[in-house]
Amino acid sequence: MIPAMTEILTTDRLRLRLVTEDDAPFYLALANDPAFIEHIGDRQLRTVDAARSGLREGPIAMQEKHGHSLYLVERLADGAPIGLSGLVKRDTLEHVDIGYAFLPDYRGCGYAFEAGQAVVRLAARMGIRRLAAIVSPGNAASIALLRRLGLRLERRACLAPGQPEVDVYLADLEG
């Protein structure tokens, strides 16, 4: 059982909670999924120790610094870790953005939309008035999800030298 203090929110089928270093085996599998590498990037995480370090330097550090991060998404029915979804503050974007990634077996089941809706509501409760998202222009599934969540294409941008362009989506949130 996950301690209550690490739980961020629940939906009908899902629990979103803070990630811990113990989630490294899950994160290793997710970060090495071919679709993750294609659409998000190759994090060069090849061992559990590297994944543990990636969690510590990524979501765990972001949570400590900003009070939000990517959260582990678990199925309520069995506690299976199925993905990440949450709020990211990037130095290269003005606004906080929604991020998500799910293991292949859990795509197409409505989990990303369910978690995404909850994260959008959480952002509004946190006082975030403008929510961004970035997506690879060829990632049709993610683009469709962002549109369903109420985000609209704002522009195409290169967020870092030498990196591919991404589409930047935005939504105005109500408190």
Side-chain angles (χ1 to χ4, degrees):
M1 178 88 186
I2 302 303
M5 64 186 228
T6 66
E7 185 175 293
I8 301 301
L9 55 88
T10 59
T11 67
D12 289 343
R13 301 181 297 163
L14 305 171
R15 172 187 300 110
L16 279 71
R17 66 165 175 83
L18 297 178
V19 298
T20 71
E21 292 183 29
D22 292 339
D23 297 315
F26 156 79
Y27 189 51
L28 180 64
L30 181 67
N32 285 288
D33 171 60
F36 185 102
I37 292 170
E38 177 184 357
H39 296 297
I40 296 172
D42 188 349
R43 300 288 189 252
Q44 298 293 315
L45 304 175
R46 303 296 184 252
T47 67
V48 172
D49 284 340
R52 188 175 293 110
S53 194
L55 289 172
R56 196 171 39 250
E57 295 166 11
I60 294 170
M62 186 171 295
Q63 182 68 36
E64 291 171 0
K65 182 176 181 180
H66 296 291
H68 57 73
S69 63
L70 288 171
Y71 307 116
L72 188 87
V73 180
E74 298 174 323
R75 282 193 311 201
L76 283 176
D78 59 7
I82 65 171
L84 296 173
S85 186
L87 299 167
V88 179
K89 181 59 185 115
R90 300 173 202 275
D91 294 336
T92 54
L93 280 179
E94 177 183 357
H95 304 289
V96 171
D97 72 282
I98 185 170
Y100 48 85
F102 286 79
L103 290 170
D105 288 348
Y106 305 102
R107 295 181 197 138
C109 303
Y111 294 129
F113 181 65
E114 187 173 331
Q117 284 184 306
V119 168
V120 169
R121 287 191 302 270
L122 175 66
R125 284 196 311 271
M126 294 174 77
I128 295 169
R129 295 293 161 248
R130 192 149 228 222
L131 185 64
I134 59 171
V135 63
S136 301
N139 190 343
S142 261
I143 291 167
L145 175 62
L146 292 174
R147 288 181 176 153
R148 285 185 68 203
L149 291 173
L151 287 92
R152 298 290 171 246
L153 179 62
E154 175 78 12
R155 63 188 164 93
R156 185 162 286 173
C158 183
L159 300 181
Q163 295 296 309
E165 287 187 323
V166 294
D167 287 340
V168 179
Y169 282 71
L170 292 173
D172 291 319
L173 305 181
E174 296 180 17

